[in-house]
Amino acid sequence: DAEITQSPRHKITETGRQVTLACHQTWNHNNMFWYRQDLGHGLRLIHYSYGVQDTNKGEVSDGYSVSRSNTEDLPLTLESAASSQTSVYFCASRAGSTDTQYFGPGTRLTVL
Amino acid sequence: DQQVKQNSPSLSVQEGRISILNCDYTNSMFDYFLWYKKYPAEGPTFLISISSIKDKNEDGRFTVFLNKSAKHLSLHIVPSQPGDSAVYFCAADGSARQLTFGSGTQLTVLP
């Protein structure tokens, strides 16, 4: 079955370290998204991509970057992790702009 | 300023009764609305949606109502079951084709 996976599921890192969270989908979806979930804020959009080599900033993009070298993957990089980036991160994908978004299982990141 | 608001962080309902979850939005450009359900340690899963050209959409025990003039939508679950206990997120979509989420409501269905 086609799916969307995230790795790692849990990560503890130190302030200032570079961290990369992986997102892989096997649906061949063009659109991919990264969100963070924090209490009281719901899910907020970090970055998104509408296809290979396309990346765009979302609502809370500062301190994060993404790259899209193929259809299946959209890794999220924290260049220099900060305690404020402690959160649960969700990746999502959809086929086209009018289609439903499907979410991965999430990565819980703790920055000490 | 939150464009999509879920003002009730939590809701408890007896099994078999109706659960009503509410959501308000401020951006009149939103034209498509969705509800997602989330269990602990899992990603959100799509539940039901409604286009702004409709005022009601039904799928089994779940019905979403949209009141465009009040910029308000609600999700009704009838009858509520213990397995419905989860966090419910309201989301809105507009011309940008990106979802804006509310902060979520934790529904607890008591047996």
Side-chain angles (χ1 to χ4, degrees):
Chain A
D1 282 344
E3 60 178 356
I4 182 167
T5 57
Q6 293 183 236
S7 61
R9 294 295 311 276
H10 302 270
K11 174 79 176 176
I12 300 174
T13 190
E14 295 177 342
T15 301
R17 298 247 186 186
Q18 183 181 80
V19 177
T20 296
L21 309 182
C23 174
H24 179 80
Q25 52 95 5
T26 58
W27 284 302
N28 204 37
H29 285 170
N30 285 322
N31 299 175
M32 295 185 73
F33 306 83
W34 274 104
Y35 296 88
R36 58 178 289 173
Q37 184 199 356
D38 304 288
L39 198 62
H41 289 279
L43 287 89
R44 291 181 291 175
L45 184 63
I46 305 171
H47 280 287
Y48 59 100
S49 168
Y50 288 154
V52 175
Q53 303 301 332
D54 176 73
T55 61
N56 305 280
K57 294 182 179 181
E59 177 190 357
V60 291
S61 61
D62 287 349
Y64 304 94
S65 64
V66 293
S67 60
R68 187 90 181 269
S69 59
N70 58 52
T71 302
E72 296 80 17
D73 299 288
L74 187 70
L76 177 71
T77 297
L78 288 68
E79 300 293 342
S80 178
S83 58
S84 60
Q85 294 176 309
T86 292
S87 186
V88 181
Y89 291 86
F90 290 100
C91 179
S93 74
R94 69 182 182 194
S97 62
T98 58
D99 296 297
T100 301
Q101 285 191 30
Y102 296 93
F103 285 80
T107 294
R108 181 174 294 276
L109 176 68
T110 302
V111 183
L112 301 175
Chain B
D1 184 32
Q2 284 189 311
Q3 297 187 67
V4 179
K5 296 183 181 179
Q6 294 177 257
N7 291 317
S8 297
S10 62
L11 175 68
S12 291
V13 172
Q14 287 292 136
E15 181 179 4
R17 299 287 187 105
I18 184 171
S19 295
I20 300 177
L21 294 91
N22 293 303
C23 178
D24 297 294
Y25 63 95
T26 57
N27 189 339
S28 57
M29 299 303 292
F30 288 145
D31 60 6
Y32 192 65
F33 303 89
L34 308 88
W35 286 93
Y36 279 83
K37 176 180 179 179
K38 185 185 177 304
Y39 291 118
E42 294 183 12
T45 55
F46 170 73
L47 187 58
I48 192 169
S49 63
I50 188 166
S51 164
S52 60
I53 62 173
K54 294 186 174 182
D55 55 16
K56 176 182 173 182
N57 188 27
E58 197 169 353
D59 183 3
R61 296 185 297 115
F62 303 91
T63 302
V64 55
F65 295 92
L66 176 62
N67 182 333
K68 289 188 292 293
S69 61
K71 293 191 177 67
H72 177 84
L73 65 155
S74 60
L75 174 68
H76 293 212
I77 306 174
V78 183
S80 301
Q81 300 173 354
D84 295 329
S85 296
V87 177
Y88 289 79
F89 290 101
C90 167
D93 198 355
S95 58
R97 291 301 163 222
Q98 298 162 21
L99 295 181
T100 301
F101 285 85
S103 55
T105 297
Q106 171 70 58
L107 174 65
T108 303
V109 180
L110 305 168

